């Protein structure tokens, strides 16, 4: 029997750990944990210096997970991500040297700065949890979580992420600048703040795997499922959208809602969970019509229209 109280207690400890390192970003921390529980991945789009790397490092240390960082550059090769076989003259055999993708938590830094060929090296790993090198398929350790970052203001020498790759990310998030009070708290805590090296694990890998399995046990009423489906179907018929959300997006949406309910300490989902996650799950998966893009309307604006026009299920 799955002990939801124990799992929820552990998840709260993880969030409190991250709060000591990253000030004022509880919502982003929560959504990162939700994506990890739902076995999804995150695209974090924001300017440098707002704490993206610190966030994912604090998450990795809190669950005692193996962490690797990949700095995506124009000259990065697919083998630099997946690994390579090296010939050993000693025994006259090739030995596989795992790449950084063979880890529990991977930070793919500035993913849009590398070539599409190298970007695609992530696709198999993110979708199938294994990589194929030299014709041999190798499993990635579970759990597996990728947080990719990109800079939204510097596009020189970058490669646009294709729709197929964007669809691999459960959420697209932005951390944003801290408030005045939060920035003052950061300055006041520079000398006393807990260092990343001092962060102690509060959740083990087996406990995390148990929590991931618990996600599927969270109850989703048919009314909630119909609510999710109606939202998804409206993205496919909206006049400003040329390409709506796929069935894979629908499945990811429901799993994210279940994981969010688990983090909130419930064994059932609410319409509020759907409303909270809708934009994070859906906006980056929408392809807007060219005239819509020229008008300045964003995918986030379209999602707000869809949510406003979709009837919320109410228990009678």
């Amino acid at each position: 029997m799955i002990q939801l109280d124990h799992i929820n207690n552990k998840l709260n400890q993880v969030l409190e750990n991250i709060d000591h390192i990253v000030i004022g970003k509880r919502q982003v921390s929560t959504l990162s944990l939700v994506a990890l529980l739902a076995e999804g991945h995150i695209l974090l789009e924001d300017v440098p210096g707002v704490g993206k790397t610190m966030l994912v490092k604090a998450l990795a240390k809190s669950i005692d997970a193996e962490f690797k960082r990949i700095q995506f550059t124009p000259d990065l090769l697919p083998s630099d991500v997946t690994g390579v076989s090296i010939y050993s003259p000693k025994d006259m055999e090739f030995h596989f040297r795992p790449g950084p993708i063979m880890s529990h938590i991977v930070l793919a830094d500035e993913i849009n700065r590398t070539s599409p060929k190298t970007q695609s090296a992530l696709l198999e790993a993110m979708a199938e949890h294994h990589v194929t090198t030299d014709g041999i398929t190798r499993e990635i350790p579970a759990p597996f979580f990728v947080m990719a970052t990109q800079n939204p203001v510097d596009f020189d020498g970058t490669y646009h992420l294709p729709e197929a790759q964007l669809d691999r990310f459960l959420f697209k998030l932005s951390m944003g600048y801290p408030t005045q009070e939060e920035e003052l708290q950061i300055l006041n805590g520079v000398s006393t703040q807990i260092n990343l090296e001092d962060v102690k694990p509060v959740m083990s890998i087996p406990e995390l795997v148990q929590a991931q399995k618990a996600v599927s046990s969270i109850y989703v009423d048919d009314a909630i499922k119909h609510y999710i489906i109606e939202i998804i179907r409206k993205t496919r018929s909206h006049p400003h959208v040329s390409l709506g959300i796929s069935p894979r997006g629908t499945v990811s949406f429901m799993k994210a809602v279940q994981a969010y309910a688990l983090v909130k300490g419930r064994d059932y989902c609410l319409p509020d969970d759907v409303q909270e996650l809708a934009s994070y799950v859906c906006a980056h998966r929408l392809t807007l019509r060219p005239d819509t893009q020229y008008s300045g309307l964003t995918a986030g604006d379209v999602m707000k229209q869809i949510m406003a026009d979709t009837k919320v299920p109410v228990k009678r």
Side-chain angles (χ1 to χ4, degrees):
M1 181 178 178
I2 297 174
Q3 299 176 340
L4 293 181
D5 289 341
H6 175 72
I7 292 174
N8 187 247
N9 180 53
K10 288 291 184 179
L11 297 177
N12 285 330
Q13 290 181 43
V14 171
L15 292 175
E16 289 169 6
N17 250 15
I18 299 174
D19 284 344
H20 290 308
I21 302 299
V22 184
I23 305 298
K25 301 301 176 186
R26 185 61 178 252
Q27 175 71 349
V28 178
S29 302
T30 300
L31 293 173
S32 299
L33 189 55
V34 168
L36 178 59
L37 291 174
E39 301 179 70
H41 309 284
I42 287 179
L43 177 61
L44 193 55
E45 185 177 78
D46 219 321
V47 296
V50 293
K52 300 186 293 291
T53 302
M54 294 293 285
L55 170 65
V56 67
K57 281 186 175 181
L59 177 61
K61 288 186 72 69
S62 296
I63 59 175
D64 200 20
E66 184 179 4
F67 169 79
K68 292 290 177 62
R69 178 179 180 270
I70 308 173
Q71 183 64 50
F72 280 79
T73 56
D75 60 345
L76 195 74
L77 299 174
S79 58
D80 296 327
V81 175
T82 60
V84 64
S85 294
I86 299 176
Y87 181 74
S88 172
K90 185 176 180 180
D91 55 13
M92 294 184 291
E93 291 184 356
F94 283 92
H95 297 276
F96 178 69
R97 180 172 294 177
I101 199 68
M102 305 293 282
S103 306
H104 292 126
I105 295 182
V106 177
L107 173 62
D109 213 1
E110 295 191 276
I111 187 175
N112 58 333
R113 289 205 171 276
T114 196
S115 67
K117 183 177 182 179
T118 305
Q119 288 176 6
S120 66
L122 280 176
L123 286 178
E124 182 185 12
M126 292 171 63
E128 308 295 340
H129 288 197
H130 58 65
V131 296
T132 302
T133 57
D134 302 322
I136 301 173
T137 299
R138 296 178 172 88
E139 296 294 327
I140 295 176
F144 176 61
F145 174 66
V146 173
M147 181 176 283
T149 70
Q150 63 179 12
N151 189 336
V153 296
D154 187 4
F155 294 108
D156 292 339
T158 63
Y159 299 87
H160 177 72
L161 295 180
E163 285 73 15
Q165 188 160 334
L166 285 173
D167 196 37
R168 306 291 180 179
F169 293 101
L170 178 60
F171 296 145
K172 182 179 180 182
L173 306 177
S174 176
M175 295 187 72
Y177 288 116
T179 64
Q180 184 173 348
E181 291 76 15
E182 291 166 353
E183 202 148 14
L184 179 61
Q185 187 179 352
I186 292 172
L187 291 180
N188 289 335
V190 166
S191 58
T192 59
Q193 185 177 337
I194 297 176
N195 293 322
L196 192 61
E197 292 73 18
D198 298 328
V199 173
K200 303 298 182 185
V202 294
M203 191 176 193
S204 66
I205 292 297
E207 287 174 328
L208 176 60
V209 172
Q210 182 188 29
Q212 289 180 326
K213 292 179 180 177
V215 169
S216 60
S217 70
I218 302 300
Y219 176 70
V220 187
D221 192 81
D222 284 346
I224 302 291
K225 293 178 182 178
H226 285 298
Y227 186 36
I228 292 173
I229 292 171
E230 189 174 356
I231 293 169
I232 296 299
R233 293 184 67 83
K234 283 187 176 181
T235 68
R236 300 168 186 167
S237 59
H238 197 280
H240 292 308
V241 177
S242 61
L243 182 63
I245 297 171
S246 68
R248 178 168 57 195
T250 310
V251 174
S252 298
F253 196 172
M254 191 184 79
K255 196 166 185 180
V257 169
Q258 289 176 295
Y260 187 77
L262 178 61
V263 172
K264 292 300 180 180
R266 288 182 271 104
D267 60 358
Y268 58 91
C269 300
L270 297 173
D272 291 351
D273 302 332
V274 177
Q275 294 171 346
E276 181 66 31
L277 299 181
S279 184
Y280 299 120
V281 174
C282 300
H284 67 283
R285 289 181 161 93
L286 299 183
T287 301
L288 302 182
R289 296 185 182 277
D291 55 334
T292 301
Q293 297 179 44
Y294 295 142
S295 70
L297 201 67
T298 66
D301 296 328
V302 172
M303 282 308 304
K304 287 179 182 178
Q305 293 178 6
I306 291 173
M307 296 305 295
D309 293 339
T310 306
K311 186 177 179 181
V312 181
V314 179
K315 185 175 181 180
R316 296 178 180 176

